[in-house]
Amino acid sequence: MKIGKTIYLDHQATTPVDLRVFEQMKPFFSSQFGNPHSGEHAVGWRAANAVDTARSDIASMVGADPDEVFFTSGATESNNLGILGLCEKPLNIKRRIMVSGIEHKSVLEIAHFLNKNRKYRTELIPVDKNGTIDLNYLENNLGDDVALVSVMAVNNEIGSMQEVGQIGMLTSRLGIPFHCDAAQAPCAMNLDAISEHVDLLSLSSHKIYGPQGIGALFVRRELQNHIRPLLYGGAQQGGLRPGTIPVPLCVGMAAAAKLMSGSEAKEEQSRLGQLRNKFWGSLTTLGFDIHLNGSEFGKRHPGNLNVCFKDFVAQDIIAALQPRLAASSGSACASGIPEASYVLKAIGLSEEDAAASVRFSLGRFTTEEHIAEAVDMIEAALRRLSLL
């Protein structure tokens, strides 16, 4: 898609709100506004019904029951509520946490906090060059003292997709809670059975063409009494996440979630994968030394292309493309951190190659014309930088 004259290829940072989603949200900003917790009048009842329907739609996307879905402000809060909420519970005597080395910053920072301030021992599960976790390592290092395993379904930088079912099988054998950050997953895979394999699942609306500022946490029913809330206030959402639920945002996230299911979603994933492959093929013909970071195309997010431009600096390339093309040298959560991507270094890239890598992420409204134009821009930018 284009924003003005800028081709937008940063969909893993955030997606535009689909107009079909926006249309469903609009009434709840005006004629159908209401506090869903106002239980004494019809305006509140209608708002509560809208939230209940939204919760059911999001639950359906992941194969859960509605009472297992809790609204949050986004995946970062969901990660905090799921992991901290479980590990801060009094009398939790298990003191080991296992997370992959390529988790979202919010998960890694939580693990660091628990290690430093709560006497937990955090262990990083190694990943291979494709960004896939070492299942043998996980199996061999699980034990009765592990409080939690956290592995994301789809990586936000290199698009690698994990074997969530196999991870869940290993953790369930020992009764170890398995948390999965699935913020990037709905655009990449079918999630309608994922709740069978995980105990905690984080979701984000703005990664799936819904509004910013809303997310959800799936908490398996049997685990809900073991989660300590991070916020205190009213009894909303069973007291697990108090505060007034933003009805328009919930409706928007649910509308976006419904578009992530069925034949339309499969067709979109297939189209994106083909467009991404064509993009990569065009880049390889430009005559520069470039390499694909991460797994082969069949095992990664269909819209993800993470490219190492040897002997260049990613930030120089992106700067040279402004204001005509939006891409990223890392995840949006790491913006402002002057260092090469920890994800790329975890899969074995050198400091130089990691700093030479750019993430392009295609989306629902990306066209072949956008890709062709982007390739021409990238070629021109690389040739200009080569002369410096």
Side-chain angles (χ1 to χ4, degrees):
M1 67 176 294
K2 276 192 172 182
I3 305 172
K5 295 183 178 180
T6 303
I7 295 175
Y8 186 74
L9 295 181
D10 202 19
H11 288 82
Q12 286 190 269
T14 194
T15 56
V17 175
D18 191 299
L19 289 180
R20 292 169 291 181
V21 170
F22 184 59
E23 286 300 316
Q24 293 194 43
M25 294 173 63
K26 283 167 63 176
F28 295 93
F29 286 111
S30 54
S31 61
Q32 297 185 44
F33 82 97
N35 187 323
H37 312 294
S38 296
E40 297 178 320
H41 51 71
V43 175
W45 300 339
R46 287 194 293 268
N49 287 337
V51 171
D52 289 343
T53 300
R55 182 178 280 110
S56 294
D57 289 339
I58 293 166
S60 294
M61 181 178 70
V62 297
D65 292 328
D67 65 346
E68 296 178 305
V69 173
F70 298 85
F71 287 109
T72 67
S73 63
T76 290
E77 185 190 340
S78 294
N79 289 339
N80 275 265
L81 178 57
I83 300 174
L84 275 180
L86 182 68
C87 294
E88 292 275 35
K89 189 71 175 179
L91 304 180
N92 191 343
I93 61 174
K94 298 181 179 183
R95 310 310 291 180
R96 287 174 61 210
I97 302 172
M98 301 183 71
V99 304
S100 87
I102 59 171
E103 291 302 301
H104 188 270
K105 272 287 187 181
S106 62
V107 171
L108 294 178
E109 287 300 313
I110 297 165
H112 175 70
F113 170 83
L114 289 169
N115 186 291
K116 182 178 180 181
N117 299 288
R118 295 295 187 266
K119 298 183 179 179
Y120 277 86
R121 182 159 56 106
T122 300
E123 298 178 16
L124 295 182
I125 307 166
V127 296
D128 61 20
K129 65 180 181 179
N130 297 319
T132 304
I133 71 161
D134 187 334
L135 288 170
N136 290 328
Y137 178 94
L138 177 63
E139 182 175 16
N140 293 334
N141 286 273
L142 288 175
D144 293 336
D145 58 341
V146 176
L148 179 81
V149 170
S150 182
V151 179
M152 67 194 335
V154 179
N155 185 263
N156 51 305
E157 288 193 40
I158 57 175
S160 54
M161 301 165 65
Q162 304 295 343
E163 296 290 346
V164 174
Q166 292 189 43
I167 299 169
M169 182 178 64
L170 293 175
T171 56
S172 64
R173 288 175 182 172
L174 295 174
I176 299 169
F178 172 28
H179 167 262
C180 182
D181 179 345
Q184 301 284 347
C187 292
M189 60 174 67
N190 184 355
L191 297 181
D192 62 7
I194 196 170
S195 63
E196 299 176 9
H197 308 295
V198 304
D199 301 289
L200 300 156
L201 186 82
S202 299
L203 296 165
S204 174
S205 168
H206 78 105
K207 306 294 188 182
I208 61 171
Y209 304 92
Q212 297 180 356
I214 185 75
L217 177 68
F218 158 77
V219 184
R220 187 180 298 281
R221 189 176 298 106
E222 297 82 359
L223 200 61
Q224 290 177 14
N225 288 335
H226 298 277
I227 304 293
R228 182 174 183 173
L230 303 183
L231 304 174
Y232 293 89
Q236 298 96 333
Q237 302 197 81
L240 187 60
R241 204 284 188 174
T244 302
I245 296 176
V247 181
L249 301 186
C250 294
V251 170
M253 182 176 183
K258 290 182 73 173
L259 294 174
M260 289 289 112
S261 305
S263 59
E264 181 178 343
K266 292 181 180 178
E267 291 171 4
E268 179 175 304
Q269 291 170 14
S270 176
R271 185 190 73 86
L272 271 182
Q274 293 173 20
L275 195 57
R276 184 266 319 275
N277 297 354
K278 185 173 183 178
F279 186 18
W280 170 245
S282 297
L283 290 178
T284 62
T285 67
L286 298 182
F288 295 93
D289 188 4
I290 66 173
H291 301 277
L292 181 68
N293 297 323
S295 61
E296 58 192 63
F297 287 153
K299 297 181 179 180
R300 70 193 293 153
H301 188 299
N304 174 274
L305 190 65
N306 195 300
V307 181
C308 174
F309 295 90
K310 295 281 288 187
D311 301 322
F312 288 91
V313 176
Q315 292 181 349
D316 291 345
I317 297 173
I318 294 170
L321 292 168
Q322 297 317 300
R324 298 182 61 200
L325 191 148
S328 173
S329 60
S331 66
C333 67
S335 296
I337 301 176
E339 59 183 21
S341 162
Y342 66 90
V343 171
L344 297 180
K345 290 191 285 187
I347 64 172
L349 268 68
S350 66
E351 186 86 20
E352 292 76 15
D353 283 353
S357 296
V358 178
R359 179 190 69 183
F360 303 98
S361 44
L362 289 59
R364 179 172 293 168
F365 308 110
T366 307
T367 67
E368 290 192 19
E369 290 74 18
H370 297 149
I371 293 304
E373 191 175 344
V375 171
D376 289 342
M377 290 185 205
I378 293 167
E379 179 179 19
L382 294 177
R383 298 206 182 283
R384 288 198 306 272
L385 291 170
S386 298
L387 299 174
L388 297 179

